[in-house]
C-alpha cells in the first residue's frame, strides 16, 4: 500500500444520458425547447458531459428527430463535452457536421440483441465502425464505443465474458479509447460486474472503461459501487432515473444521476456536481414529462436537510 488515495484518485466523472437514453422510449415527442431546458439545468448543476441525442433514422426513433438542431444549439460550449450515439457512418457524418464533440458507436455483446437492435450482425456493425472511426479521426472528434447487453442478454441469457472481451478488443483495434459497458436490460449484479472488469483490465489495459447501469432489478447502485471499488471512475446515469419502458409499471430505467451523485459524495468520491441543483433539474424533468420519476433522492432530499422537530407530530405510543 502506498498510503491513502488522494482526492483526485477518487474523482468521479458523470456522463448524463437523460436526453438520449432517458427520452428515447418516450412515446410523445418532447419539444426541443424542453430538451434544451433540461440540459441547461443539468449543466447549471455542474454536469460537464452529456450524451445529447442519437443520429438514428427519424422513422425508427421519432423522439430523436431534432438531433442536428440540438447539437447545433449546444456546440462549442467551453468545458462541456457533448456526445451522440451513431449507428452507422451516415449518422456519424451528420453528427460531425452538426458539431458534436464525441461520437458513440454501439454494438451488443450478444449476437441476437445486435440483430434485433441494429438489424445487422456484429461483424457487419464492425465494418461500419471502421468507416466511422476514419471520419471522426479526420474531423478531430472523439471516438467512444458502447457495448450493450454487457452483463446479460434478454434473448441469450448470460453473456460469456470472452464475448465481452472480444468486442472490447475489436473496439480497441479501431482506435477507441473509451468503452462503456451498458447494462441494457438490468441484468448486471456485482457478482457478474467484478469478474468482467477483471477480465477487461487484463485484456485491454490501455482502454478507459465507463459503466452504465439500469436499476431494473433494484441493484443498479450496488453495481455502480462495485465498479467504484474496482477503480472505475467514469459512469453514466440519467436524471430522475428516466428511461425504461413508460408502459410497464415499475420498469425503472437508468440509475438516477442524483441518487448516484448522492452515493458518491457521501462515500468520499467527489463528482464536482451540486446535488441540490441536480435535484432541481430532476424536478424540471418531472414537470416536462408530467409524471412521477423513479429517482429517490429527488423525493427524500439531502441527507442533512433536517426537518424542524416541531413540524413532526410526536408519537403518542
Ligand atoms: Zn441506459
Amino acid at each position: 500500500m502506498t498510503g491513502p488515495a488522494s482526492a483526485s484518485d477518487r474523482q468521479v466523472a458523470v456522463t448524463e444520458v437523460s436526453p438520449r437514453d432517458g427520452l428515447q422510449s418516450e412515446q410523445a415527442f418532447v419539444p426541443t425547447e424542453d430538451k434544451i431546458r433540461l440540459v441547461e439545468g443539468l449543466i447549471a448543476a455542474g454536469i460537464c458531459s452529456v450524451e445529447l441525442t442519437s443520429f438514428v433514422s427519424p422513422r425508427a426513433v421519432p423522439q430523436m428527430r431534432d438531433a442536428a438542431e440540438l447539437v447545433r444549439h449546444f456546440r462549442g460550449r467551453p468545458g462541456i463535452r457533448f456526445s451522440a450515439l451513431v449507428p452507422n457512418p451516415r449518422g456519424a457524418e451528420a453528427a460531425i457536421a452538426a458539431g458534436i464533440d464525441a461520437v458513440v458507436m454501439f454494438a451488443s455483446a450478444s449476437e441476437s440483441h445486435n440483430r434485433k437492435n441494429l438489424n445487422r450482425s456484429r461483424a457487419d456493425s464492425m465494418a461500419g465502425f471502421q468507416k466511422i472511426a476514419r471520419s471522426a479521426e479526420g474531423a478531430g472528434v472523439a471516438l467512444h464505443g458502447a457495448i450493450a447487453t454487457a452483463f446479460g442478454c434478454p434473448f441469450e441469457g448470460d453473456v460469456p465474458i470472452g464475448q465481452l472481451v472480444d468486442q472490447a478488443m475489436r473496439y480497441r483495434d479501431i482506435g477507441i479509447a473509451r468503452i462503456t459497458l451498458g447494462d441494457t436490460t438490468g441484468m448486471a449484479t456485482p457478482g457478474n460486474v467484478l469478474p468482467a472488469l477483471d477480465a477487461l483490465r487484463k485484456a485491454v489495459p490501455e482502454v478507459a472503461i465507463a459503466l452504465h447501469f439500469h436499476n431494473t432489478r433494484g441493484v443498479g447502485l450496488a453495481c455502480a459501487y462495485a465498479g467504484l471499488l474496482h477503480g472505475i471512475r467514469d459512469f453514466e446515469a440519467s436524471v430522475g432515473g428516466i428511461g425504461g419502458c413508460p408502459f410497464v409499471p415499475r420498469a425503472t430505467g437508468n440509475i438516477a444521476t442524483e441518487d448516484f451523485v448522492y452515493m458518491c459524495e457521501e462515500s468520499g468520491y467527489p463528482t464536482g456536481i451540486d446535488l441540490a441543483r441536480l435535484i432541481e433539474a430532476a424536478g424540471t424533468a418531472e414537470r416536462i414529462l408530467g409524471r412521477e420519476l423513479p429517482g429517490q433522492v429527488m423525493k427524500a432530499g439531502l441527507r442533512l436537510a433536517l426537518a424542524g422537530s416541531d413540524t413532526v407530530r410526536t408519537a403518542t405510543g
Side-chain angles (χ1 to χ4, degrees):
M1 290 293 284
T2 54
S6 70
S8 63
D9 291 337
R10 295 174 69 95
Q11 181 77 35
V12 168
V14 179
T15 291
E16 172 64 35
V17 300
S18 58
R20 198 283 303 171
D21 194 348
L23 295 184
Q24 74 176 9
S25 59
E26 290 293 321
Q27 294 298 302
F29 182 72
V30 174
T32 308
E33 57 267 28
D34 282 343
K35 292 175 182 165
I36 291 172
R37 197 153 56 92
L38 173 65
V39 173
E40 292 290 8
L42 292 162
I43 291 172
I47 294 279
C48 49
S49 172
V50 182
E51 190 175 276
L52 195 54
T53 186
S54 62
F55 283 79
V56 289
S57 151
R59 258 174 307 131
V61 190
Q63 185 63 258
M64 299 288 123
R65 66 181 187 237
D66 57 356
E69 192 182 344
L70 263 185
V71 173
R72 280 197 301 271
H73 177 88
F74 285 107
R75 72 188 290 171
R77 285 280 181 109
I80 318 277
R81 183 184 69 194
F82 292 100
S83 56
L85 240 61
V86 295
N88 52 39
R90 197 157 45 109
E93 271 156 37
I96 292 166
I100 201 71
D101 301 313
V103 290
V104 183
M105 308 174 217
F106 55 103
S108 303
S110 60
E111 191 65 37
S112 39
H113 186 270
N114 205 79
R115 285 181 188 274
K116 274 265 184 247
N117 196 31
L118 294 164
N119 200 23
R120 69 190 78 116
S121 70
R122 293 167 68 217
D124 287 348
S125 286
M126 286 314 297
F129 292 166
Q130 280 163 349
K131 278 192 200 154
I132 295 176
R134 280 195 294 274
S135 339
E137 277 159 27
V141 164
L143 203 56
H144 299 164
I147 305 181
T149 63
F151 303 104
C153 165
F155 312 113
E156 296 180 18
D158 282 328
V159 170
I161 286 180
Q163 253 168 254
L164 198 56
V165 166
D166 175 64
Q167 184 62 40
M169 290 169 86
R170 288 176 192 223
Y171 274 149
R172 178 204 54 197
D173 292 346
I174 57 170
I176 288 182
R178 175 185 185 262
I179 294 177
T180 300
L181 307 180
D183 181 28
T184 315
T185 57
M187 292 170 75
T189 69
N192 61 19
V193 168
L194 291 171
L197 292 177
D198 281 340
L200 288 168
R201 186 167 279 180
K202 272 203 201 97
V204 288
E206 65 277 51
V207 174
I209 302 288
L211 294 174
H212 174 126
F213 292 116
H214 283 229
N215 198 37
T216 317
R217 293 178 171 82
V219 294
L221 284 184
C223 292
Y225 200 70
L228 281 170
L229 294 180
H230 199 280
I232 303 294
R233 296 290 182 267
D234 192 354
F235 290 84
E236 300 184 352
S238 176
V239 78
I242 309 175
C245 177
F247 301 109
V248 179
R250 307 189 62 79
T252 51
N254 298 270
I255 57 171
T257 314
E258 66 280 10
D259 294 359
F260 175 69
V261 165
Y262 169 79
M263 180 183 77
C264 288
E265 296 284 341
E266 294 291 337
S267 310
Y269 293 95
T271 62
I273 294 167
D274 179 331
L275 185 54
R277 297 189 85 166
L278 189 58
I279 290 172
E280 284 172 30
T284 301
E286 205 165 59
R287 282 190 296 279
I288 288 171
L289 295 178
R291 65 168 190 276
E292 190 182 319
L293 296 177
Q296 290 184 272
V297 171
M298 68 183 290
K299 301 183 185 84
L302 303 179
R303 192 168 69 88
L304 292 178
L306 305 181
S309 66
D310 52 352
T311 65
V312 180
R313 218 153 45 91
T314 303
T316 50

